[in-house]
Amino acid sequence: MRECLVRKSDISASTAIIAVTEATLPEVLAGLGAAAANWCALNAFTGKASSFLLVPGEGGEGAAVLFGVEEGDAANPFALGGLVKSLPEGDYHLADGFPDAEQAALGFALSAYSFTRYVEQPDKKRRLAIGGETGLDRLRIILDGVRLARDLINTPANDMGPEELATAISDTFAAHGGSGRVIVGEDLLEQNFPMVHAVGRASSRAPRLADFTWGAEDAPKVTLVGKGVIFDTGGLNLKPGSSMALMKKDMGGAANVLGLASMIMAAKLPVRLRVIVPCVENAVSGNSFRPGDILSSRKGLSVEIGNTDAEGRLVLGDALALADEESPDLLIDMATLTGAARVALGPDLPPYYTHDEELAEDIAVMAEAANDPLWRMPLWQPYMKYLDSKVADLNHINTIGAGFAGSVTAALFLSRFVENTQSWAHFDIFGWTPIEKPGKPAGGEAQAIRCLFDLVTERFEAKK
């Protein structure tokens, strides 16, 4: 994606993309000449939002691309992405009429993504020439992070096992001078990660926990925890086939925190970054964990298993307990955790949970500014009773509340493993775009990380 944005001091050799509305079209056509006006009339082009037309110049050559935008506050800053794959190959630049040129360029580049690891596709070069003061370097950092997250999610589980996911984390940190450890198999028990081990032990591919750091040791601590379930069969509570079809994306939380980590490191933000990812496969075999089992946890809490298909919160519990032990300045976890979140808010609007009112407000503001939509949901304490167990400290699913508030109770379960950290937020993402739209090709998706990159930048950049 980054390759489709290029810096040019002279953009005159590229084709202009001019944003128009139905009201401004006549004035724009007057400046382009009779050939462009006649071509618009022949094609009944009126400047309707998201429509476009390549219009000729007076000599018959392509003069410009006219792109319809909405007037007022209803404009979609990524709308330009909708025309990317319809344009002829070549170089383009943004001309007049775009209210936010940087967001328009980002939408163009995000829409240019395609996952080509397993297919041969011709290299169609549609590039956007960037001039002036647009922050091209920052855009490229964002695009690299998004591509990393999308590529990891789109990779099927036969090529993205626990070891491969841990290696991707290790390689990303090594590329930026970071370091860490990977705890594998039975060593998880010796080093007190019993729930990570329990969830992943049934797979022929050993479970592991990746724990990597980057940055100055005395810098503010930012810790990211991601759910790395590379495939979720549901365990002994086996999913039906229709529900299992997309489960390669169940490591979407890990993919997204790694994408965010790559942005933070590439931008050299003044933080002590830590990424913790439990990498497991929730498989079925004779040693699968079972409904009714009682697991110990790193936190010391005993957890009764209500359903083996709610495995993500178990591995996150151990990972969050580890992260919380050093009380980071900011703790973020991301997970494709519940179908209930999708029922409540759909695939494009992930909920987030936090006790920190200032953090909640900052996330909301940054999400809107970045066109990276998020919606705050409550850590409603009265629902904590839904996790009561008669035989353990808590159950990991809602067993007494008629199955209601699935996303809320999952977040409440995770909150039991965060005791020392004041600024913690949990993101229940989908990690997938089911229907292609501008800026979002169908398939694996980066959600919340553009917002969080802006938040980490704003919160800690001034403390350099």
Side-chain angles (χ1 to χ4, degrees), residues 377-398:
M377 295 273 275
L379 285 162
W380 184 248
Q381 292 303 306
Y383 288 163
M384 190 72 82
K385 66 184 178 183
Y386 290 168
L387 300 174
D388 285 351
S389 168
K390 294 180 180 180
V391 294
D393 291 322
L394 72 166
N395 200 300
H396 82 306
I397 66 167
N398 175 0

Side-chain angles (χ1 to χ4, degrees), residues 45-62:
F45 180 80
T46 63
K48 182 180 178 181
S50 298
S51 64
F52 75 95
L53 185 66
L54 180 63
V55 297
E58 291 300 326
E61 299 294 328

Side-chain angles (χ1 to χ4, degrees), residues 11-262:
I11 60 175
S12 61
S14 57
T15 301
I17 302 176
I18 305 172
V20 298
T21 66
E22 295 183 64
T24 63
L25 179 61
E27 181 180 354
V28 170
L29 290 176
L32 291 175
N38 291 337
W39 189 245
C40 279
L42 286 171
N43 286 275
F45 180 80
T46 63
K48 182 180 178 181
S50 298
S51 64
F52 75 95
L53 185 66
L54 180 63
V55 297
E58 291 300 326
E61 299 294 328
V65 175
L66 303 180
F67 180 70
V69 298
E70 298 180 31
E71 296 186 57
D73 295 334
N76 174 6
F78 286 173
L80 180 65
L83 67 79
V84 171
K85 294 179 180 178
S86 300
L87 289 174
E89 294 190 46
D91 287 355
Y92 299 85
H93 69 269
L94 300 184
D96 300 329
F98 289 95
D100 190 331
E102 186 169 318
Q103 286 280 31
L106 183 59
F108 184 100
L110 289 171
S111 296
Y113 171 86
S114 59
F115 183 63
T116 60
R117 176 172 175 176
Y118 300 95
V119 296
E120 292 186 12
Q121 291 188 347
D123 185 18
K124 295 182 179 180
K125 295 181 179 179
R126 304 177 185 93
R127 305 192 307 175
L128 195 65
I130 304 294
E133 299 302 318
T134 301
L136 181 59
D137 291 339
R138 184 174 175 83
L139 285 177
R140 285 177 169 170
I141 287 171
I142 292 170
L143 291 171
D144 286 345
V146 170
R147 174 185 283 278
L148 176 58
R150 287 175 174 176
D151 281 353
L152 289 172
I153 296 170
N154 283 325
T155 302
N158 60 310
D159 286 331
M160 182 56 64
E163 181 178 3
E164 289 80 7
L165 179 56
T167 298
I169 297 166
S170 175
D171 289 349
T172 300
F173 271 78
H176 295 281
S179 61
R181 59 176 179 160
V182 179
I183 306 168
V184 182
E186 298 304 306
D187 289 346
L188 290 166
L189 294 176
E190 294 181 9
Q191 298 193 40
N192 196 22
F193 298 99
M195 293 198 295
V196 177
H197 181 271
V199 170
R201 72 192 183 202
S203 174
S204 60
R205 299 184 282 185
R208 57 204 69 212
L209 183 132
D211 181 6
F212 283 77
T213 56
W214 170 89
E217 292 186 10
D218 60 349
K221 293 180 173 63
V222 174
T223 300
L224 311 177
V225 175
K227 174 185 171 184
V229 179
I230 62 97
F231 194 85
D232 181 18
T233 66
L236 292 179
N237 290 113
L238 195 67
K239 293 177 182 289
S242 59
S243 298
M244 210 185 297
L246 278 181
M247 282 301 99
K248 69 175 184 179
K249 78 172 187 65
D250 213 22
M251 40 66 70
N256 272 274
V257 300
L258 188 56
L260 174 57
S262 77

Side-chain angles (χ1 to χ4, degrees), residues 197-342:
H197 181 271
V199 170
R201 72 192 183 202
S203 174
S204 60
R205 299 184 282 185
R208 57 204 69 212
L209 183 132
D211 181 6
F212 283 77
T213 56
W214 170 89
E217 292 186 10
D218 60 349
K221 293 180 173 63
V222 174
T223 300
L224 311 177
V225 175
K227 174 185 171 184
V229 179
I230 62 97
F231 194 85
D232 181 18
T233 66
L236 292 179
N237 290 113
L238 195 67
K239 293 177 182 289
S242 59
S243 298
M244 210 185 297
L246 278 181
M247 282 301 99
K248 69 175 184 179
K249 78 172 187 65
D250 213 22
M251 40 66 70
N256 272 274
V257 300
L258 188 56
L260 174 57
S262 77
M263 295 179 190
I264 291 170
M265 292 187 288
K268 296 180 171 54
L269 297 186
V271 299
R272 176 66 169 177
L273 175 67
R274 186 180 189 185
V275 167
I276 302 172
V277 174
C279 308
V280 301
E281 180 174 21
N282 188 21
V284 178
S285 72
N287 66 341
S288 296
F289 75 117
R290 297 163 289 264
D293 282 358
I294 297 175
L295 305 181
S296 58
S297 69
R298 184 177 184 84
K299 187 71 175 175
L301 296 169
S302 59
V303 179
E304 181 185 10
I305 301 304
N307 188 310
T308 63
D309 194 19
E311 82 300 327
R313 66 199 71 183
L314 297 173
V315 298
L316 285 175
D318 274 354
L320 283 170
L322 172 65
D324 189 57
E325 288 166 9
E326 66 173 4
S327 303
D329 297 274
L330 177 64
L331 174 57
I332 298 292
D333 81 76
M334 305 186 77
T336 53
L337 204 61
T338 70
R342 311 291 81 77

Side-chain angles (χ1 to χ4, degrees), residues 356-426:
D356 185 334
E357 295 299 325
E358 181 181 355
L359 177 60
E361 178 63 22
D362 287 347
I363 291 171
V365 170
M366 296 291 180
E368 183 174 1
N371 193 31
D372 196 4
L374 298 164
W375 195 264
R376 188 186 185 187
M377 295 273 275
L379 285 162
W380 184 248
Q381 292 303 306
Y383 288 163
M384 190 72 82
K385 66 184 178 183
Y386 290 168
L387 300 174
D388 285 351
S389 168
K390 294 180 180 180
V391 294
D393 291 322
L394 72 166
N395 200 300
H396 82 306
I397 66 167
N398 175 0
T399 60
I400 64 174
F404 294 132
S407 182
V408 176
T409 52
L412 288 170
F413 176 83
L414 295 179
S415 74
R416 295 291 300 271
F417 297 87
V418 180
E419 181 179 16
N420 303 311
T421 306
Q422 298 304 307
S423 289
W424 162 66
H426 159 61

Side-chain angles (χ1 to χ4, degrees), residues 426-437:
H426 159 61
F427 293 78
D428 191 344
I429 66 171
F430 190 48
W432 193 263
T433 297
I435 301 173
E436 185 163 321
K437 52 185 70 66

